[in-house]
């Protein structure tokens, strides 16, 4: 009999586990009454009970029903029933704010649950912070009466064994609303350090993604949001729903960013990691084995390395004296900003003239000034924006000139410990980049030259193959009296002129000796000028193409449609050219302004053609019964160059037979 009972119990436990995995909760309630320990029966290899599994599945109703099945005499055992991770049932319940009622019922049965730690030393309130459950955290904090405890007791409840606090873990989980609540109610946690001696602000300064994501989300256009949405639109209702959700997402991201900035203000106001960062880096035993350990850097330097301008701005407002701090290598914030190529932070700091004088004149432990740092290789990961070698060299040259101008008359010692000036170090460090930039510029110029010659050839040949052909007797083009023939002629001449101008510009680049200094302005100015001429030449060729289409098709009734379609290649070409325009033409303000002006004109003319075309279509439809002027009744009179139209049926457009001669 005993063997049969054990077999039956094993079968019930197996069925209970399967029912739990299959989410058959009705069967779970039924089987819990058949196993010895009921809801406290362990059913997984991790020694989870049924209640553990139900809480992990976030089934609050099931948890409440199972709690009612526990005998009153076993309530005190709840704080001792743990899985292999040392988690009690309340640890699992605390991972979801939707299970607040279940947490309240558990605490009514056993108050010891609220302070029972797991194997990592985490209380249930710590689990709520780790999963970003603000409502559950506030509920447990109220139940634990943290405000009435001593500072030591509160600190023990909000920290685990390795020193990580609920503030650390909430920032790591990117739950910034909860982190702000913790900072406002438990400000003593701001200066607490984990086992790596890192404060909460240092945690935040190592996560540039959240700041970058906020900036991108605010600036992103609606069309881009719609294009990146994964929702399927199958009707007007779903389209409205998608638009509402996208707008709500943008608003939510904006609120999240406001919360993040408020959190930064609180953390910066009380952070002191900059005050002892160098001493800690020098005295740390681990720093001798790992020189680049980021935990040795203060929050100020971590924010500089991560290009988090928001933190630097708040440091300037609340603790400007922190900018004088140096790390274990003797570098200040300007050294780090140049080393990691964060020029915007450099510009932000040097606006303060009092601080910038001392910072610009300082040198690190190797005797390198801020100007020497331009020659150092950047330590940051690969840039998201892939650039050509020539553009990289140009940026390095402009940065060197910028820093040199800012630090003029402030550098006390132009030589570092290797007895090298900043100019010598820069030339040596960028020797390979200079060679790569030269090869890239030659390849680009050669390709552009070939294209310019091809465009010039086509424009030159178009003169001898004019639309409609020449008159066989006089040699004059048949369609020379048409208005659009003048458009064709001017566009073709301008296209040829610009193409030849670009060829000359590219040839002047190819014959250059490519000195290092010319990569800063001269060579790129030439390249931009040649590319602009090439682009405008192609655009004029597209205009000539449109004029040709109108001249050839204007004798048909569909001439209005051809008038609209003929010039479509022009705006399409300009729109498709935007990526190269943003990279090459952005630094040239004058030419870029001219380029934008041309684009605006094209975009303005396109709607005009569309409206004019629709008007002509309407007039064509009304011409048979609306008595209006002949010019308006048939707009083709002007387009085709016809001087007049037969005024009556007797004046037919067909040739009449010649009169018979008198006999």
């Amino acid at each position: 009999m005993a063997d049969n009972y054990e077999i039956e119990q094993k079968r019930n436990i197996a069925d209970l586990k399967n029912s739990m995995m299959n989410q058959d909760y009705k069967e779970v309630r039924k089987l819990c009454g058949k196993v010895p320990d009921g809801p406290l029966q362990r059913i997984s290899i991790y020694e989870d009970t049924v209640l553990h599994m139900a809480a992990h599945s976030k089934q609050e109703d099931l948890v409440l029903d199972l709690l009612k099945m526990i005998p009153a005499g076993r309530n005190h055992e709840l704080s001792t029933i743990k899985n292999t991770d040392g988690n009690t049932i309340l640890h699992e319940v605390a991972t979801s704010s939707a299970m607040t009622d279940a947490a309240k019922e558990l605490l009514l049965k056993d108050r010891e649950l609220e302070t029972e730690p797991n194997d990592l030393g985490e209380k249930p309130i710590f689990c709520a912070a780790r999963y970003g459950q603000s409502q559950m955290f506030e509920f447990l904090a109220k139940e634990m009466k943290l405000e009435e405890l001593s500072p030591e007791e509160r600190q023990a409840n909000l920290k685990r064994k390795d020193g990580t606090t609920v503030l650390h873990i909430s920032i790591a989980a990117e739950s910034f609303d909860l982190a702000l609540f913790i900072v406002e109610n438990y400000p003593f946690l701001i200066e607490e350090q984990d086992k790596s001696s890192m404060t909460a602000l240092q945690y935040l300064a190592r996560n540039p993604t959240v700041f970058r994501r906020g900036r991108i989300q605010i600036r992103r256009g609606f069309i881009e949001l719609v294009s990146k949405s994964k929702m399927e639109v199958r009707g007007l209702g779903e389209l409205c729903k998608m638009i509402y959700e996208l707008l709500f997402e943008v608003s939510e991201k904006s609120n999240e960013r406001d919360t993040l900035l408020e959190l930064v203000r609180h953390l910066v106001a009380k952070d002191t990691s900059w005050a002892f960062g160098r001493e800690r880096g020098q005295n740390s035993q681990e720093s001798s084995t790992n020189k680049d350990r980021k935990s040795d850097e203060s929050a100020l330097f971590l924010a500089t390395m991560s290009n988090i301008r928001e933190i630097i701005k708040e440091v300037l407002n609340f603790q400007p004296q922190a900018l004088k701090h140096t790390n274990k290598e003797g570098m200040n914030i300007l050294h780090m900003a140049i080393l990691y190529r964060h020029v915007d932070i450099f510009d932000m700091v040097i606006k303060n003239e009092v601080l910038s004088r001392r910072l610009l004149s300082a040198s690190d432990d190797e005797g390198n000034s801020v100007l020497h740092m331009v020659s150092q290789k950047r330590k940051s990961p690969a840039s998201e924006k892939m650039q050509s070698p020539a553009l990289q060299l140009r940026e390095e040259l402009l940065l060197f000139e910028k820093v040199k101008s800012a630090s003029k008359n402030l550098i006390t010692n132009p030589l570092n410990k290797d007895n090298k000036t900043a100019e010598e170090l820069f030339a040596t460090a960028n020797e390979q980049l200079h060679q790569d930039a030269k090869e890239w510029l030659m390849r680009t110029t050669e390709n552009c030259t070939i294209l310019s010659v091809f465009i010039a050839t086509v424009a030159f040949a178009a003169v001898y193959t004019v639309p409609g052909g020449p008159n066989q007797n006089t040699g004059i083009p048949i369609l020379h009296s048409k208005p659009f023939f003048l458009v064709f002629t001017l566009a073709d001449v301008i296209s040829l002129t610009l193409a030849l101008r670009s060829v000359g510009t590219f040839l002047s680049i190819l014959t250059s000796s490519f000195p290092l200094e010319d990569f800063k302005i001269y060579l790129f100015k030439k390249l931009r000028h040649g590319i602009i001429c090439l682009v405008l030449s192609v655009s004029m060729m597209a205009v000539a193409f449109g004029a040709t289409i109108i001249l050839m098709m204007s004798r048909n009734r569909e001439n209005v449609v051809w008038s609209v379609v003929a010039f479509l290649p022009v705006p399409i070409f300009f729109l498709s050219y935007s990526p190269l325009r943003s990279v090459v033409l952005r630094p040239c303000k004058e030419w870029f302004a001219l380029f934008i002006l041309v684009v605006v004109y094209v975009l303005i003319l396109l709607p005009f053609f569309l409206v004019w075309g629709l008007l002509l279509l309407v007039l064509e439809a009304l011409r048979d019964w609306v008595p209006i002027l002949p010019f308006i009744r048939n707009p083709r009179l002007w387009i085709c160059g016809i001087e007049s139209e037969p005024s009556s049926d007797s004046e037919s457009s067909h040739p009449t037979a010649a009169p018979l001669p008198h006999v």
Side-chain angles (χ1 to χ4, degrees):
M1 293 292 293
D3 293 339
N4 293 335
Y5 177 78
E6 291 180 0
I7 294 174
E8 183 179 358
Q9 291 302 317
K10 289 182 179 180
R11 185 183 300 112
N12 290 335
I13 293 174
D15 293 341
L16 180 60
K17 179 181 179 180
N18 292 332
S19 300
M20 196 70 201
M21 298 297 294
N22 296 329
Q23 300 181 359
D24 188 359
Y25 301 128
K26 183 177 180 180
E27 186 68 18
V28 169
R29 294 181 177 89
K30 179 180 178 181
L31 291 173
C32 279
K34 297 181 179 181
V35 295
D37 293 329
L40 302 179
Q41 179 66 50
R42 301 183 186 275
I43 58 175
S44 75
I45 60 175
Y46 303 106
E47 298 187 9
D48 290 310
T49 65
V50 180
L51 274 169
H52 278 92
M53 299 285 288
H56 186 72
S57 302
K58 298 178 176 55
Q59 299 296 323
E60 186 178 39
D61 294 337
L62 178 60
V63 172
L64 292 173
D65 292 342
L66 295 178
L67 288 175
K68 295 177 182 178
M69 300 175 63
I70 299 176
R74 301 193 64 183
N75 287 341
H76 66 281
E77 300 179 13
L78 291 175
S79 59
T80 61
I81 299 176
K82 302 180 179 181
N83 58 16
T84 54
D85 295 327
N87 290 331
T88 64
I89 300 170
L90 186 58
H91 282 90
E92 300 292 343
V93 170
T95 60
S96 174
S97 294
M99 302 187 68
T100 306
D101 293 338
K104 186 183 299 184
E105 185 66 24
L106 279 168
L107 291 176
L108 290 175
K109 290 181 174 293
D110 189 358
R111 298 296 304 186
E112 298 294 330
L113 284 168
E114 63 185 13
T115 57
E116 188 66 27
N118 58 14
D119 293 345
L120 297 176
E122 300 173 345
K123 307 293 194 301
I125 193 173
F126 195 99
C127 291
R130 173 147 46 102
Y131 285 89
Q133 303 301 312
S134 301
Q135 295 180 4
M136 179 63 73
F137 184 92
E138 295 178 21
F139 167 76
L140 292 175
K142 183 178 180 181
E143 290 293 323
M144 297 172 69
K145 300 180 180 179
L146 292 178
E147 300 296 335
E148 302 177 6
L149 300 178
S150 64
E152 293 77 11
E153 291 176 329
R154 281 187 295 173
Q155 190 174 15
N157 285 309
L158 299 176
K159 183 189 292 187
R160 66 185 183 190
K161 292 179 181 179
D162 61 358
T164 304
T165 66
V166 291
L167 182 57
H168 287 102
I169 203 67
S170 60
I171 291 177
E174 299 183 5
S175 302
F176 302 119
D177 53 345
L178 176 57
L180 183 59
F181 173 83
I182 294 172
V183 165
E184 293 174 345
N185 291 273
Y186 314 105
F188 61 91
L189 294 177
I190 295 177
E191 300 180 9
E192 290 293 323
Q193 303 174 11
D194 64 0
K195 65 178 181 180
S196 300
S197 302
M198 295 189 65
T199 63
L201 183 58
Q202 287 175 292
Y203 267 59
L204 192 59
R206 294 186 64 177
N207 190 3
T209 307
V210 295
F211 293 91
R212 191 181 307 119
R213 183 172 63 234
R215 291 193 292 264
I216 294 175
Q217 191 69 33
I218 298 302
R219 296 173 183 174
R220 182 178 296 172
F222 178 74
I223 299 299
E224 185 178 354
L225 287 174
V226 173
S227 64
K228 292 188 176 182
S229 175
K230 297 181 180 180
M231 298 177 57
E232 294 184 2
V233 181
R234 298 181 179 178
L236 181 60
E238 292 190 8
L239 177 61
C240 295
K241 180 180 178 182
M242 183 188 69
I243 294 175
Y244 171 78
E245 291 183 357
L246 290 173
L247 294 176
F248 179 78
E249 180 184 355
V250 173
S251 176
E252 185 178 3
K253 292 293 183 181
S254 178
N255 295 334
E256 180 183 348
R257 179 168 176 80
D258 294 339
T259 302
L260 178 61
L261 295 179
E262 184 67 22
L263 175 63
V264 169
R265 294 188 190 99
H266 282 81
L267 294 177
V268 169
K270 295 187 177 182
D271 183 74
T272 57
S273 61
W274 56 270
F276 50 83
R278 177 164 183 152
E279 289 78 5
R280 178 179 57 189
Q282 291 174 342
N283 298 329
S284 175
Q285 295 180 355
E286 294 185 19
S287 63
S288 61
T289 58
N290 190 357
K291 185 178 179 180
D292 295 327
R293 200 167 69 111
K294 284 193 173 182
S295 59
D296 291 339
E297 301 289 357
S298 66
L300 176 66
F301 281 3
L302 289 174
T304 305
M305 294 160 63
S306 302
N307 195 24
I308 303 178
R309 300 189 296 272
E310 292 81 357
I311 294 181
I312 305 298
K313 182 179 179 181
E314 295 303 325
V315 172
L316 285 170
N317 293 334
F318 288 97
Q319 299 187 20
Q321 70 276 11
L323 298 179
K324 300 178 182 178
H325 165 66
T326 57
N327 64 0
K328 61 185 179 181
E329 299 175 4
M331 298 182 184
N332 59 34
I333 184 174
L334 293 185
H335 286 88
M336 299 294 289
I338 297 302
L339 181 63
Y340 285 86
R341 300 302 189 264
H342 299 320
V343 185
D344 46 357
I345 293 180
F346 178 84
D347 294 336
M348 186 187 302
V349 175
I350 63 174
K351 288 180 180 178
N352 190 323
E353 295 183 1
V354 178
L355 288 172
S356 62
R357 287 193 176 186
R358 291 184 176 273
L359 296 174
L360 288 170
S361 61
S363 300
D364 64 2
D365 295 342
E366 299 296 327
N368 292 318
S369 65
V370 177
L371 190 58
H372 283 89
M373 300 308 297
V374 181
S375 306
Q376 302 291 332
K377 294 182 179 179
R378 70 180 70 182
K379 296 182 180 180
S380 57
S383 176
E384 296 179 2
K385 182 174 64 176
M386 301 301 296
Q387 292 182 333
S388 66
L391 291 174
Q392 292 180 23
L393 182 59
R394 179 179 181 274
E395 288 190 357
E396 295 294 312
L397 288 166
L398 292 176
L399 179 60
F400 187 87
E401 183 182 19
K402 182 185 187 69
V403 177
K404 185 176 181 179
S405 175
S407 59
K408 187 178 181 180
N409 301 327
L410 294 176
I411 298 179
T412 57
N413 188 3
L415 300 177
N416 60 9
K417 289 188 176 181
D418 295 330
N419 292 323
K420 287 187 177 181
T421 63
E423 288 78 3
E424 294 173 346
L425 194 60
F426 183 85
T428 304
N430 293 283
E431 184 176 357
Q432 183 60 42
L433 183 60
H434 182 200
Q435 182 63 29
D436 295 340
K438 176 182 177 181
E439 295 177 357
W440 178 88
L441 192 58
M442 290 186 66
R443 290 196 306 268
T444 303
T445 306
E446 289 173 355
N447 294 333
C448 291
T449 304
I450 295 173
L451 181 58
S452 298
V453 171
F454 175 75
I455 297 299
T457 304
V458 173
F460 184 81
V463 177
Y464 296 95
T465 56
V466 294
N471 189 304
Q472 298 297 328
N473 297 324
T474 63
I476 300 175
I478 297 176
L479 303 178
H480 75 280
S481 61
K482 305 295 188 294
F484 274 98
F485 190 84
L486 179 61
V487 175
F488 164 79
T489 304
L490 291 176
D492 189 68
V493 171
I494 295 174
S495 177
L496 177 61
T497 304
L498 292 173
L500 294 177
R501 181 71 180 92
S502 65
V503 170
T505 303
F506 293 138
L507 289 178
S508 67
I509 296 176
L510 289 174
T511 56
S512 172
S513 59
F514 299 99
L516 181 63
E517 192 66 21
D518 284 356
F519 278 90
K520 183 167 55 179
I521 295 177
Y522 176 75
L523 291 176
F524 273 90
K525 185 177 180 180
K526 285 283 188 179
L527 181 62
R528 285 194 301 269
H529 182 267
I531 291 180
I532 289 174
C533 290
L534 177 60
V535 171
L536 294 179
S537 176
V538 176
S539 303
M540 289 298 101
M541 180 176 290
V543 172
F545 169 80
T548 302
I549 294 296
I550 293 177
L551 289 171
M552 299 300 296
M553 307 300 297
S554 60
R555 296 184 179 277
N556 300 327
R557 291 180 60 88
E558 294 81 5
N559 62 341
V560 177
V561 178
W562 290 112
S563 300
V564 177
V565 174
F567 289 98
L568 283 179
V570 180
I572 291 176
F573 172 71
F574 273 109
L575 293 176
S576 63
Y577 188 71
S578 59
L580 184 59
R581 180 194 66 217
S582 62
V583 173
V584 179
L585 304 181
R586 180 175 53 189
C588 184
K589 296 181 180 179
E590 296 81 5
W591 282 103
F592 185 65
L594 178 61
F595 184 85
I596 292 297
L597 185 63
V598 174
V599 173
V600 170
Y601 277 138
V602 171
L603 294 179
I604 290 175
L605 289 176
L606 182 60
F608 171 77
F609 277 111
L610 292 175
V611 173
W612 177 249
L614 292 175
L615 179 61
L616 294 181
L617 287 175
V618 172
L619 293 178
E620 284 287 336
L622 298 178
R623 58 176 296 189
D624 294 332
W625 60 82
V626 177
I628 54 179
L629 295 176
F631 176 80
I632 301 178
R633 288 179 59 193
N634 195 349
R636 287 180 295 153
L637 294 176
W638 180 79
I639 296 178
C640 300
I642 302 175
E643 297 180 357
S644 62
E645 191 180 34
S647 58
S648 63
D649 295 340
S650 62
E651 299 180 9
S652 174
S653 59
H654 297 287
T656 56
L660 295 175
H662 294 282
V663 179

